[in-house]
Amino acid sequence: MKCHSVTALWSPSPPSHHITAVAATPAALFTGAADGTVLHWPLPPSPPFNPRPSSLLCAHAAAITALRPLPSPTSLLVSCAAGVLSLFSASAPLRCLRRRSLPPWAGSPSLVEPLPPSSASSHPRIAILCHAHDDSHGHRHVSAVVVVDARTLAVLHTVFHGALSVGSPRAITLTVCGDDNAVSVVLADTQGRAQMLPIEGAAIEGDSPRRLSASSLSSVASAEAPDGMVEAVALSDDGKVVALVLKTSCLLKCVAEGSVLGEVSLGNTSLCKEEEETGVKGCLAGGFFLHGGEWGARHLEDGNLVRSLVLWGSNGGAIVYRVAVGTPSFACEAVCEVPGIASDQGEMSSIQCCQMGNCLIRVESRPYKIGGSFLWKPFISIWSMDQLELSIAMNPESPPFGKVLGEGSLQGEKFRLEPSHSLPKLDNGVEMSSQMCSPDNGLGRYGRTVSSSMVLSEDSYAPYAIVYGFHNGDIEVIRFLNLMPAAKFGGGGVYPHISERFFVGHKGAILCLAAHHMHAHSNSRSFQRALISGSLDCTIRVWDLDAGTLLSVMHHHIASVKQIILPPASSHHPWDDCFVSVGDDSLVALVSLQTMRVERMFPGHSFYPSMVAWDGVKGYIACFCRSLHSTNDVGSILYIWDMKSGARDRIIRGTTSQSVFEHFCRGISKNAVTGGILGGTTSASSLLVPVLKDTALLQSRANRNGLNVSPVSKNHHTAADSLALGALTAHDMKGKTPAPDDRHNSAYSSGKVGSAKIINKRRKYPIKCSCPYPGIASLRFDLTEIMSTQGSFSDRQFRDHLYGDDTKETIQPGVLENTSGIQEMDSPSRESLEGQLLRFSLCFLHLWGVDCELDKLLVDEMQVCKPEDCHIATGVVGDRGSITLMFPGKEATLELWKSSAEFCAMRSLSIVSLAQRMIKLSRSCTHASSALAAFYTRHFAEKVPDIKPPSLQLLVSFWQHPSEHVRMAARSLFHCSAPRSVPQPLRIERNKIPDAHLSSSDLVDKLIPAMQNASVSCHGQLKTDGEIVDRDDDDTSQISSWLESLENQEWLSWIGGTSQDAVASNIIVAAAFVVWYPSIVKVKLAKLVVNQLIKLVMSMNDRYSSTAAELLAEGMESTWKACLGTDIAHFLSDVLFQIECLSSAPSSNAIYKTAVAVTMREALVGTLLPSLAMADIMGFFGVIESQIWATSSDSQVHVVSLKTLIRVVRGSPKALAPYLDKAISYILHTMDPSNLIMRKACIISSMMALREIARVFPMVALNESMTRLAVGDAIGEIHSATIRVYDIESVTKIRILDACGPPGLPSFLEGPSDTTTSILITALSFSPDGEGLVAFSENGLMIRWWSLGSAWWERLSRSLTPIQCTKLIYVPPWEGFSPNSARLSIISNILGHDKHVNPETKTRELDDADNLKLLLHNLDLSYRLHWVGGKTIKLTRHGQELGTFQL
């Protein structure tokens, strides 16, 4: 199971957001931008509105083309120009549920429309139009309409693929026509022409790109072209009317006939008036038809149809019209108006509008030019269309203004812009000259806006610094962590924002960054780590990252430099010290850092290569050039270059190019250490990696061949990880990370590099980093990998492989000297690498500011630094590299805790696991770690009562986690949150208890009787029998439906689970409530879940079967035994069969290759089998006796049965007492000399079982030489009590000793009852010299002795005739002894205490079962016989001497 936690470091300035798409729901506004970002603006249920963004949805790296809220399930569909679709949950935390790419032949999606429900498909569907604009020659390109599953984003079928009969569509809607209610897609172009494509009729199943004939599938309404340029196109909901928005008017045309229905002129309105200050005349910018409620289409009494239309202008103003369309007439009326934006604020702004109920939302993007680049800031205003401002004086001819309900923007209290950085103080250990500080450049408040960023990692385990490139050309390195205490770059320990370093020289915005560690050693080169920057000024600068000096300036590009690609980890010398630069001039160049020269140039690309991949093993570079504005055959071109010769190997055009590029990337992923395809540590967005198809098959084949494959498309190896390199530096991959200022002491040989490569291939990375967008660095903490670092790689080994031999001189003594696998730290200065990793994780994962006392404990005692100078936000991991990041601030994080049970479970589990690990790792941190664990299990809910309880299903999925700390944390969180998180179908109705004022203990006492004895209605009245049956059936149906529910299990995507995991977790949760919290769930739940629990055990599920076995074992005696009854024996037989399968599984089955089989077997053998055996001992013996003949002689089942018998002896000895004969008989059977195979397999376990029985049961004795075994009847008939003597070597019964009673006085042992069943033999002991056997019987207080000389056993013939005892001794009652119905003495019988008792005063006679229970209850196993001399025996009870007797 995956357990990922995400935090993000934001730059001080808000990101740019040029809005290209907008959508609104009753609860939120969503805006998509040109850089692929999507902002979530939550809105309250009622005014006033104060829109502020709360989260950033990161799943796209290209312009957002469509945002579409989907009703069922409630979600948000996002599409971008790169052909990537993403599906986000509509509820917090807006996690990305699916991220998929459309087929290459489909093109770029532009218009999206949900389809109505269909009887043919149970899942919701979406129609997506992928089209391209006409080129300058008027040639129409290929367009496609595909239907996509709204849950999986898989292409269900293709509606159309080919050249449309109309121009490039600008609007899409659905229409239902015909008697069969056929659904068709209506597409409209800028000429007002429409094409209708039936959805169901001529669809092609699957995602085949075969073209369809337009004539057979479409009906085109031709019409004359409108006068003037069309700014926008809108279609009505029914697809019958199309609105063409021109500069100053709007034409309404009939879709079916193509005729003009009417025109709305806006030439004299405020939308098209000339601005007095600028002299620029306004024009219309867009429009759409309103829908829903009073704004939807409705019929008038005269038969005309009235529609509501919104038109807005470039100045931000908007007018709402009601348009009446009839056959002979056309009328329009302005309802309300939204005022425009002031000219000084709205110049060059881009305006969009959308509807939210009775409100109109205006979204404005204002540009700001910084350093030659445009930055865009969004501004939101919400206006009411039904609440008018009648008090404002206005032109009588103009409609009234709508009332403004709220305004907001991205700027505000979220971030405070930082002032210009001053010179650092001299005492921070970093020397900087005045030339390194950037001047203000007169850029004002936006001069420090980040244009590019990347994360640096010191040792591949955790990041330690962020590099920011700004629009003014400055570069800043901010170090927020010093993970290695030996590093001199700032202080030691986990301290954010230690120091800063500036690099100044570029004249334009920094567009790309890269950091590279030099591999080849050179005496002439003084630097070890290089910082490479590409800028808008067309130059590339190489800096010494450690010294802060400029090394080289390169001018081989004539346009801005947009990408820098570093060599993959598998590259060979000399290519491993090179980099590739990609410019906007479509030139790709290979530059050597050793010579500081351009070694290869790859020109001739048709347009800018948007993606470049470097295969270091084969020596090829693939340049993928994709035009986002074309889907014709020349729209995508792939160039493959030979890196060594510089020659172009081949060119692949069309849709095949993308498939080949993805295949090329898979090859790189297969050969790279971490699965990266874009090179080392660069500023390239982690979302640029292609969304490849599932490579599980590739992974399994590679595993069989011994390869280490890291699939890019897996959630745990997503695009964010595949830029491992973006997160983990190139020198990290090579295994060389010296301390920043110790570079002169670091010498590396090829041998060290090779050994480090091997280690890095096997090492996994607990913290992965990426920069999805400039200025935002995401840190993803993998709990499984963090916890697995314990003992897997010692600090000395890590240091030797990472630093080489010379580092021993630079590392301080005592820092990393502990080489033990599990390290204990006495002080932070001597802490291990794992301890630093845990502290770093807690620094970013803990929610600071909620409990000040806890914060102080973490800082003072645990030495975890509070990140006060960083803008830290939390987030969640989505599908295939996508993430959702909250904006910085405690309030935004608390909202996530209050709205998502899955987030609460994942984050609490991570922190509590880390805290428990710290307790074991460091004794000095015990108090703080315990307080931290207690806070997230209990105290957090007390301080913030409205936080969501953790998801129980998610927690139980970690009960079988490999790490002990994670398992314990998951169970602790479950128990703390279970009482307030009972699922509704399982929860008992509290009003069924009549006395609501009782205390909690009284409620528990009265709950079960109330449920069992009466069915009380919600009003406290008894129901009739029929009503009770109906209610019981309804409860049973609800519980069964909940147990088997597969749908809407969002928590599954958090851990990478399947629908089977959903059912299994529901069963585990229900069973846990039955076992641990039976008073708060329905009584019938136990009977409904027990069979499901058994099936889960037998399914051998690697995630849940062991847990199910533990729950069955724990609740067997109290709960499950009554539900199973006689089926326990059948279940026992099935469990033994499963154990047989696990013990002798074929090697071809993958499940048995791992430790999963061992875990399951331990759970079955060590936990479940003993509980089943103790629940039905008779059935257990029947099953194991049958297994002797049903399985092979060397089967592990026999050994398991013996071990189970030992556990039964230890766990339930009194219940086993009546079946001692069966136990001894089975053990001796496994030792039978005639079956040498079974004897060899079981002899050790059999002897262990005999010794354990003799230790626990005093009525079983072994002689000192372990050759004789005596077994006395513990409970039985008084007149047939015997002692059997066995020879262990031959496994035969050699003698039966009579223990019925003293000779001549048999009636003394008869009790007052008619029954003669009683406790017989209490203790046995062989004489030390082997002369005889002594037995003590509590019932009668007698000691018997059998002895016939030293050779008595040998002289006797093996006759089974009972032998009377040689001597009988009566034991006087000791102090505290009192005879009763089950423990009688001869004295009480002789005195006749019971002879004259009135029969009417006697207790009622007990039946056999009750009498046996009473005897077992009174059975005392503490008696022992000890030899203290040659003929003297000592009787003890509970270790206290009762008497000494001479034989």
Side-chain angles (χ1 to χ4, degrees), residues 1222-1233:
K1222 286 184 172 294
I1224 298 299
S1225 175
Y1226 177 77
I1227 295 172
L1228 295 178
H1229 200 152
T1230 60
M1231 302 168 62
D1232 190 355

PDB file of all heavy atoms in Angstrom, residues 1222-1233:
ATOM      1  N   LYS A1222      -6.815 -38.559  23.571  1.00  0.00           N
ATOM      2  CA  LYS A1222      -6.737 -38.291  22.137  1.00  0.00           C
ATOM      3  C   LYS A1222      -5.455 -37.543  21.793  1.00  0.00           C
ATOM      4  O   LYS A1222      -4.816 -37.809  20.764  1.00  0.00           O
ATOM      5  CB  LYS A1222      -7.957 -37.481  21.684  1.00  0.00           C
ATOM      6  CG  LYS A1222      -9.255 -38.283  21.604  1.00  0.00           C
ATOM      7  CD  LYS A1222     -10.380 -37.435  21.050  1.00  0.00           C
ATOM      8  CE  LYS A1222     -11.617 -38.274  20.780  1.00  0.00           C
ATOM      9  NZ  LYS A1222     -11.410 -39.264  19.692  1.00  0.00           N
ATOM     10  N   ALA A1223      -5.084 -36.583  22.647  1.00  0.00           N
ATOM     11  CA  ALA A1223      -3.869 -35.830  22.381  1.00  0.00           C
ATOM     12  C   ALA A1223      -2.648 -36.743  22.406  1.00  0.00           C
ATOM     13  O   ALA A1223      -1.784 -36.682  21.509  1.00  0.00           O
ATOM     14  CB  ALA A1223      -3.728 -34.705  23.404  1.00  0.00           C
ATOM     15  N   ILE A1224      -2.540 -37.599  23.434  1.00  0.00           N
ATOM     16  CA  ILE A1224      -1.398 -38.508  23.537  1.00  0.00           C
ATOM     17  C   ILE A1224      -1.395 -39.497  22.385  1.00  0.00           C
ATOM     18  O   ILE A1224      -0.344 -39.807  21.802  1.00  0.00           O
ATOM     19  CB  ILE A1224      -1.426 -39.232  24.888  1.00  0.00           C
ATOM     20  CG1 ILE A1224      -1.296 -38.229  26.035  1.00  0.00           C
ATOM     21  CG2 ILE A1224      -0.329 -40.277  24.959  1.00  0.00           C
ATOM     22  CD1 ILE A1224      -0.013 -37.452  26.023  1.00  0.00           C
ATOM     23  N   SER A1225      -2.579 -39.989  22.031  1.00  0.00           N
ATOM     24  CA  SER A1225      -2.658 -40.966  20.943  1.00  0.00           C
ATOM     25  C   SER A1225      -2.184 -40.359  19.629  1.00  0.00           C
ATOM     26  O   SER A1225      -1.457 -40.990  18.859  1.00  0.00           O
ATOM     27  CB  SER A1225      -4.101 -41.469  20.804  1.00  0.00           C
ATOM     28  OG  SER A1225      -4.229 -42.318  19.686  1.00  0.00           O
ATOM     29  N   TYR A1226      -2.562 -39.085  19.366  1.00  0.00           N
ATOM     30  CA  TYR A1226      -2.133 -38.449  18.115  1.00  0.00           C
ATOM     31  C   TYR A1226      -0.629 -38.217  18.104  1.00  0.00           C
ATOM     32  O   TYR A1226       0.048 -38.460  17.097  1.00  0.00           O
ATOM     33  CB  TYR A1226      -2.868 -37.123  17.928  1.00  0.00           C
ATOM     34  CG  TYR A1226      -2.429 -36.375  16.697  1.00  0.00           C
ATOM     35  CD1 TYR A1226      -2.862 -36.753  15.433  1.00  0.00           C
ATOM     36  CD2 TYR A1226      -1.539 -35.303  16.788  1.00  0.00           C
ATOM     37  CE1 TYR A1226      -2.434 -36.084  14.300  1.00  0.00           C
ATOM     38  CE2 TYR A1226      -1.109 -34.631  15.661  1.00  0.00           C
ATOM     39  CZ  TYR A1226      -1.566 -35.020  14.412  1.00  0.00           C
ATOM     40  OH  TYR A1226      -1.145 -34.362  13.288  1.00  0.00           O
ATOM     41  N   ILE A1227      -0.104 -37.783  19.234  1.00  0.00           N
ATOM     42  CA  ILE A1227       1.337 -37.531  19.294  1.00  0.00           C
ATOM     43  C   ILE A1227       2.118 -38.816  19.069  1.00  0.00           C
ATOM     44  O   ILE A1227       3.101 -38.854  18.310  1.00  0.00           O
ATOM     45  CB  ILE A1227       1.694 -36.883  20.641  1.00  0.00           C
ATOM     46  CG1 ILE A1227       1.048 -35.494  20.760  1.00  0.00           C
ATOM     47  CG2 ILE A1227       3.208 -36.766  20.790  1.00  0.00           C
ATOM     48  CD1 ILE A1227       1.205 -34.877  22.126  1.00  0.00           C
ATOM     49  N   LEU A1228       1.691 -39.884  19.715  1.00  0.00           N
ATOM     50  CA  LEU A1228       2.395 -41.149  19.543  1.00  0.00           C
ATOM     51  C   LEU A1228       2.259 -41.679  18.127  1.00  0.00           C
ATOM     52  O   LEU A1228       3.174 -42.347  17.617  1.00  0.00           O
ATOM     53  CB  LEU A1228       1.864 -42.171  20.553  1.00  0.00           C
ATOM     54  CG  LEU A1228       2.125 -41.828  22.030  1.00  0.00           C
ATOM     55  CD1 LEU A1228       1.517 -42.897  22.923  1.00  0.00           C
ATOM     56  CD2 LEU A1228       3.625 -41.697  22.298  1.00  0.00           C
ATOM     57  N   HIS A1229       1.126 -41.364  17.490  1.00  0.00           N
ATOM     58  CA  HIS A1229       0.937 -41.809  16.107  1.00  0.00           C
ATOM     59  C   HIS A1229       1.961 -41.156  15.190  1.00  0.00           C
ATOM     60  O   HIS A1229       2.463 -41.776  14.247  1.00  0.00           O
ATOM     61  CB  HIS A1229      -0.472 -41.495  15.644  1.00  0.00           C
ATOM     62  CG  HIS A1229      -0.907 -42.308  14.478  1.00  0.00           C
ATOM     63  ND1 HIS A1229      -2.222 -42.626  14.223  1.00  0.00           N
ATOM     64  CD2 HIS A1229      -0.205 -42.900  13.482  1.00  0.00           C
ATOM     65  CE1 HIS A1229      -2.301 -43.349  13.130  1.00  0.00           C
ATOM     66  NE2 HIS A1229      -1.092 -43.534  12.664  1.00  0.00           N
ATOM     67  N   THR A1230       2.269 -39.882  15.447  1.00  0.00           N
ATOM     68  CA  THR A1230       3.260 -39.206  14.602  1.00  0.00           C
ATOM     69  C   THR A1230       4.673 -39.704  14.860  1.00  0.00           C
ATOM     70  O   THR A1230       5.583 -39.401  14.082  1.00  0.00           O
ATOM     71  CB  THR A1230       3.213 -37.688  14.858  1.00  0.00           C
ATOM     72  OG1 THR A1230       3.497 -37.417  16.241  1.00  0.00           O
ATOM     73  CG2 THR A1230       1.855 -37.118  14.507  1.00  0.00           C
ATOM     74  N   MET A1231       4.865 -40.469  15.945  1.00  0.00           N
ATOM     75  CA  MET A1231       6.190 -41.020  16.273  1.00  0.00           C
ATOM     76  C   MET A1231       6.290 -42.494  15.953  1.00  0.00           C
ATOM     77  O   MET A1231       7.243 -43.171  16.379  1.00  0.00           O
ATOM     78  CB  MET A1231       6.491 -40.791  17.755  1.00  0.00           C
ATOM     79  CG  MET A1231       6.450 -39.344  18.177  1.00  0.00           C
ATOM     80  SD  MET A1231       6.470 -39.145  19.974  1.00  0.00           S
ATOM     81  CE  MET A1231       8.040 -39.885  20.385  1.00  0.00           C
ATOM     82  N   ASP A1232       5.344 -43.006  15.216  1.00  0.00           N
ATOM     83  CA  ASP A1232       5.285 -44.434  14.940  1.00  0.00           C
ATOM     84  C   ASP A1232       6.527 -44.875  14.174  1.00  0.00           C
ATOM     85  O   ASP A1232       6.822 -44.365  13.091  1.00  0.00           O
ATOM     86  CB  ASP A1232       4.034 -44.734  14.127  1.00  0.00           C
ATOM     87  CG  ASP A1232       3.771 -46.218  13.999  1.00  0.00           C
ATOM     88  OD1 ASP A1232       4.615 -47.015  14.470  1.00  0.00           O
ATOM     89  OD2 ASP A1232       2.725 -46.577  13.428  1.00  0.00           O
ATOM     90  N   PRO A1233       7.294 -45.826  14.695  1.00  0.00           N
ATOM     91  CA  PRO A1233       8.508 -46.293  13.987  1.00  0.00           C
ATOM     92  C   PRO A1233       8.200 -46.961  12.664  1.00  0.00           C
ATOM     93  O   PRO A1233       9.080 -47.044  11.801  1.00  0.00           O
ATOM     94  CB  PRO A1233       9.143 -47.270  14.974  1.00  0.00           C
ATOM     95  CG  PRO A1233       8.549 -46.939  16.312  1.00  0.00           C
ATOM     96  CD  PRO A1233       7.157 -46.463  16.027  1.00  0.00           C
TER      97      PRO A1233
END
